[in-house]
Amino acid sequence: MKLTTIGIDLAKNVFQVHGVDERGKAVLKKQLKREQMAAFFANLAPCLIGMEACGSAHFWANKLQAMGHTVKLMAPQFVKPYVKTNKNDAADAEAICEAVSRPNMRFVPIKQAEQQAVLALHRARQGFVKARTAQANQIRGLLAEYGIIIPQGIAHIGKRLPEILEDGENGLPGVFRQLIARLGDHLKELDRQAQELEGQIQVWHSENAASRKLAQIPGIGPITASALVASIGNARNFENGRQLAAWLGLVPRQNSSGGKQTLLGISKRGDTYMRTLLIHGARAVIRVAERKAAHAGSWLAGVMGRRNKNVAAVALANKNARIVWALLAQDRDYKADYGLTA
């Protein structure tokens, strides 16, 4: 039995495996438990293995690559058209095996352990930031029921809360004061956790040459730079900067037919977190450009003169994504006057 291509339907405990030979004939249909996976593939000759990019996919990809196999990950939506019958584990494994052998299939870059660790810091920090915002809004809403209005912004809550709790003439019941004090302490703890994780990200950024290189681009700081480096990995997996921008969902959607090109809003595909960081950074650059006459006549000034600020921010984020690809794939340093000297 000479296996050339294998499709694995991943799960928590039970894995479905489908294998074909060089003629495409199915020669393996097997169900494996988690503890059987490593031993089974360690005894196989190196072959092409396809998996969907889902939970634990990067772990198994790295493990199987260490055994000598060639592993490729695919987005689930690209595998779905190859499912011939009703959905089940065996049909999914067969579809994965078929999809991975297609020459025009798009694959997901496999992340290394360090990349996953940095992205885990980002995800945890993002969770604390969301929880901090929700807690601040809850405090503001509860106090509004007693006629106490706090301006928007978490900083205002930290300034106003002590004097509100100490004010004995604002009519707040004792039980409610204790509740607000507890929620205020919880808000401080969430802020402390977010700041600590941000500090760890800053340390990793300062030790990574590629991340420091990206931080030189206007609109990209340590948080965005470290997330980009950890998410992209090897930039040469993308043919050009346009592909990277499309991977981040910063290019227009198309609804073209009959030779008529119809472009819509941005596709918003890919990582929402990465796209958000790039667009927020672009908005910061636009705010600075509005106050400085030095930007007059620049590419950004031209876009801002033709379109509104939101469109200009997305356009700048798209441009920054292409610059990121050029710096990483071609090992260049950022030059602000590159277009003028080229």
Side-chain angles (χ1 to χ4, degrees):
M1 181 177 66
K2 175 61 176 177
L3 288 171
T4 60
T5 308
I6 294 178
I8 305 176
D9 183 45
L10 297 175
K12 291 182 179 179
N13 299 312
V14 179
F15 300 77
Q16 184 70 38
V17 180
H18 183 95
V20 299
D21 58 16
E22 63 273 7
R23 294 177 298 175
K25 182 180 179 181
V27 293
L28 173 66
K29 294 182 180 180
K30 190 176 183 64
Q31 201 175 72
L32 297 173
K33 293 184 178 180
R34 172 174 286 272
E35 57 270 15
Q36 298 173 322
M37 282 282 290
F40 178 81
F41 284 98
N43 294 323
L44 280 183
C47 58
L48 173 63
I49 299 178
M51 296 183 290
E52 289 183 335
C54 57
S56 76
H58 294 280
F59 165 77
W60 286 112
N62 286 311
K63 196 174 187 65
L64 294 175
Q65 279 186 334
M67 299 177 184
H69 300 288
T70 300
V71 183
K72 294 185 177 181
L73 302 182
M74 299 163 288
Q77 64 265 30
F78 294 154
V79 176
K80 183 64 176 176
Y82 295 93
V83 178
K84 300 184 184 69
T85 60
N86 295 324
K87 175 177 170 52
N88 56 61
D89 291 347
D92 288 347
E94 182 181 359
I96 294 169
C97 185
E98 177 69 20
V100 75
S101 63
R102 295 301 89 198
N104 60 345
M105 177 56 64
R106 300 176 184 176
F107 299 106
V108 178
I110 298 174
K111 292 181 173 59
Q112 303 302 318
E114 184 180 4
Q115 291 176 262
Q116 291 179 278
V118 175
L119 290 177
L121 285 176
H122 278 272
R123 294 294 182 262
R125 175 186 170 275
Q126 183 187 21
F128 282 124
V129 170
K130 286 185 176 180
R132 183 180 63 184
T133 303
Q135 185 63 87
N137 290 336
Q138 184 183 43
I139 292 173
R140 188 180 291 107
L142 291 173
L143 289 173
E145 294 295 326
Y146 286 88
I148 301 175
I149 305 301
I150 298 180
Q152 289 186 359
I154 296 179
H156 292 290
I157 295 180
K159 294 177 182 177
R160 292 285 309 278
L161 210 56
E163 60 186 51
I164 291 173
L165 294 175
E166 292 176 3
D167 186 1
E169 300 180 359
N170 53 19
L172 297 181
V175 175
F176 185 77
R177 288 179 188 274
Q178 295 177 3
L179 173 63
I180 294 299
R182 172 174 295 187
L183 296 181
D185 292 339
H186 186 219
L187 180 64
K188 291 179 181 178
E189 177 62 19
L190 291 173
D191 185 65
R192 185 185 67 81
Q193 295 281 3
Q195 294 295 335
E196 284 187 2
L197 291 180
E198 184 171 340
Q200 293 183 35
I201 294 172
Q202 293 271 9
V203 171
W204 186 88
H205 163 78
S206 64
E207 296 175 351
N208 187 278
S211 185
R212 295 197 306 270
K213 181 189 302 183
L214 297 189
Q216 298 172 1
I217 304 173
I220 296 181
I223 298 296
T224 307
S226 59
L228 281 168
V229 171
S231 297
I232 296 172
N234 185 5
R236 293 186 178 88
N237 290 323
F238 302 92
E239 291 184 6
N240 48 44
R242 188 186 304 112
Q243 276 198 0
L244 177 58
W247 180 67
L248 293 170
L250 290 168
V251 299
R253 291 184 294 115
Q254 285 198 44
N255 189 22
S256 304
S257 180
K260 181 180 180 181
Q261 299 294 323
T262 303
L263 299 181
L264 308 174
I266 60 173
S267 65
K268 295 186 179 180
R269 295 174 178 173
D271 195 330
T272 303
Y273 178 68
M274 289 302 316
R275 188 170 55 253
T276 300
L277 290 177
L278 284 170
I279 293 176
H280 282 343
R283 287 198 177 105
V285 174
I286 289 175
R287 284 197 299 270
V288 174
E290 289 176 330
R291 297 194 298 266
K292 291 187 177 181
H295 292 272
S298 64
W299 172 86
L300 180 58
V303 175
M304 293 169 60
R306 297 190 305 269
R307 306 300 295 270
N308 64 59
K309 294 180 182 178
N310 290 332
V311 174
V314 174
L316 181 57
N318 185 307
K319 182 180 180 181
N320 283 345
R322 299 182 183 213
I323 295 174
V324 165
W325 178 86
L327 298 186
L328 294 179
Q330 302 174 9
D331 195 20
R332 296 181 179 178
D333 291 324
Y334 176 74
K335 297 180 180 179
D337 57 347
Y338 175 77
L340 300 176
T341 58

